[in-house]
Each structure stands twice: as C-alpha cells, then as structure tokens.
Amino acid sequence: MIAILKKELWSYFGNWSAWIIIGAFSLITALFLFFFENDSNIFDIGMASLQSYFVLVPWLLMFIIPALSMKTFAEEQQTGTLNWLFSQPLKVSDLVAGKFLSVWIVGVLCLIPSLIYLYTVYVLGVPAGNIDLGMTFGSYIGLIVLIAAFSGVGILASSLSQNQIMAYLLGVFMCFIMYFGIEQLASYKLLGGADFILQNIGFYQHFLGFTRGLIDLKDVAYFILIIGATLLLSNHFITKKK
C-alpha cells in the first residue's frame, strides 16, 4: 500500500497536476472570499468568520476530488497497466487503499492555503482575535472527513468506469447527489416521516454538525461507514476485472 501511495503522490506532484489544482482551488476561494461581490465575500458580510469559506468549499470539492480520482483506476484500465498491477505481489485492497489515501492527501493539502485566510480574519476582527475558533476547528475537521468521503466516492466511480471522462462525470454526479441531491429531495417532504431518514443518508446534514463546532460521534461514524462502503465496493469491482 505504501508503494502504491508513493507512486500515486509522485504522479500528482511530479507532473505539476497537484500544484495546479491546489493553486486554482486557492485562487478561486480567495476571489470569492475577498474580491467578488457575492454572499461569500467576507467584507460584505462584515463578520470575522470563515463560515462562508466552509459553505463554498464543498461545492468546489465536488469537481476537484473527482478530477483527482478519475485517473486512479480508469486510466490504469485505459492504458492497460491495470493487468500489470494484477500480476504484481499486491493485494487489491492495498491497491485501492493506496490510491484512496493519495487522493485524500492531495485534497487535504488544498486546505492548507486557507490558513492565510484564517490569519487575515483573525487580525481583522474587532477586537483582533474575535473569531469562534471552536467552530472554525470543527469545520476544518468536517472538511477533512468530507474530502475522505468524496475521495471514496471518486475511487468508486473510477473503478466502475472504462475511461477518465466517464469516471469524472460519474464522480461529480455521485458527489452532487450525496451532498446536495438527497438533501433537496428530503426538503420537499414527499415521504412523510421517512424524509428524516432520507435526509440523514446524505452528506450535508452530517457535515453541517461539524460547521457548528460539534464533533458528534454519530457523524464521525457515518463518514467512516461511507468511506468503508465505497472502498469495499471499489475493491469488489476491481477484483471482478482480474
């Protein structure tokens, strides 16, 4: 697994793709938070808070994580190197875990530049430091586990696809449905009491708890379950291709 992880990380950082993604992600968030006139602009909100950042980022991650994960298995199958990997003394579970961790690590690294925004908001507060650090810390934890969930979904989409374009589109669709689609469907209240159950199947409600500064064991267990399920399914579909 470690060998696969190193190989995948080198493939991201060796050809500048990870640097470009991290740079583009940071630029887009900076423009929305400080320059563009929108509901996320910190100066327009007039509050020393990064809450708008934590609302914006999941939407960007829906497109960025599938872009990172689409090559994990779809490219291997497209180029024929997947069969070569099967011939190595390597478990399919190690292969899946190594690729998952590489996508997750690059996704988490996208958050590092936001520490500059945190410092900026901290200094601009009146008085300086007037920011809810508990809520901010909880939101960062929430983003880290959400990236892991999106990574698992992206890996699953790649394991189901024959090429990278299909893997990307399927990954974006699945991430959108799990984060926003299920939540919106439940909001129509078409299923009566079952709407609450449907609402809790999606990512949004569980991520929302973290943004309030509450690290609930139920939410943590939910994301662990989702990650485990997506990796087990990926392992199943990759094994069937042997």
Side-chain angles (χ1 to χ4, degrees), residues 34-54:
F34 298 103
F35 297 98
F36 292 162
E37 291 185 7
N38 61 93
D39 294 336
S40 298
N41 191 298
I42 290 174
F43 296 119
D44 291 341
I45 295 172
M47 292 177 58
S49 171
L50 275 182
Q51 205 59 22
S52 57
Y53 174 79
F54 300 117

Side-chain angles (χ1 to χ4, degrees), residues 155-233:
I155 293 289
L156 176 58
S158 187
S159 70
L160 288 168
S161 306
Q162 301 293 326
N163 58 70
Q164 294 187 64
I165 296 175
M166 186 186 297
Y168 177 72
L169 294 176
L170 182 60
V172 171
F173 175 75
M174 291 169 67
C175 287
F176 175 80
I177 291 298
M178 289 301 297
Y179 182 76
F180 186 73
I182 292 176
E183 174 67 21
Q184 284 300 296
L185 184 61
S187 69
Y188 289 116
K189 301 188 183 302
L190 301 174
L191 303 175
D195 285 318
F196 176 76
I197 298 173
L198 180 63
Q199 197 174 44
N200 280 276
I201 293 175
F203 293 167
Y204 181 79
Q205 284 297 320
H206 297 280
F207 173 69
L208 196 62
F210 287 97
T211 63
R212 294 167 178 162
L214 303 173
I215 303 178
D216 194 320
L217 186 60
K218 292 180 181 178
D219 295 328
V220 175
Y222 166 81
F223 280 111
I224 291 175
L225 179 63
I226 290 293
I227 295 164
T230 54
L231 295 184
L232 283 174
L233 286 171

Side-chain angles (χ1 to χ4, degrees), residues 132-152:
D132 190 337
L133 292 178
M135 186 172 63
T136 303
F137 175 75
S139 298
Y140 271 113
I141 297 297
L143 282 181
I144 290 172
V145 296
L146 184 64
I147 290 171
F150 279 157
S151 299

Side-chain angles (χ1 to χ4, degrees), residues 73 77 82 86 91-97 152 155-161 227-242:
F73 288 110
Q77 185 167 352
L82 188 59
F86 287 153
K91 295 180 181 178
V92 174
S93 58
D94 291 338
L95 184 62
V96 171
I155 293 289
L156 176 58
S158 187
S159 70
L160 288 168
S161 306
I227 295 164
T230 54
L231 295 184
L232 283 174
L233 286 171
S234 299
N235 185 85
H236 170 71
F237 289 118
I238 294 300
T239 301
K240 286 182 67 176
K241 294 180 180 181
K242 292 185 72 172

Side-chain angles (χ1 to χ4, degrees), residues 95-115:
L95 184 62
V96 171
K99 288 179 177 290
F100 163 76
L101 287 174
S102 66
V103 174
W104 182 50
I105 288 171
V106 176
V108 171
L109 290 177
C110 288
L111 304 180
I112 300 299
S114 70
L115 296 178

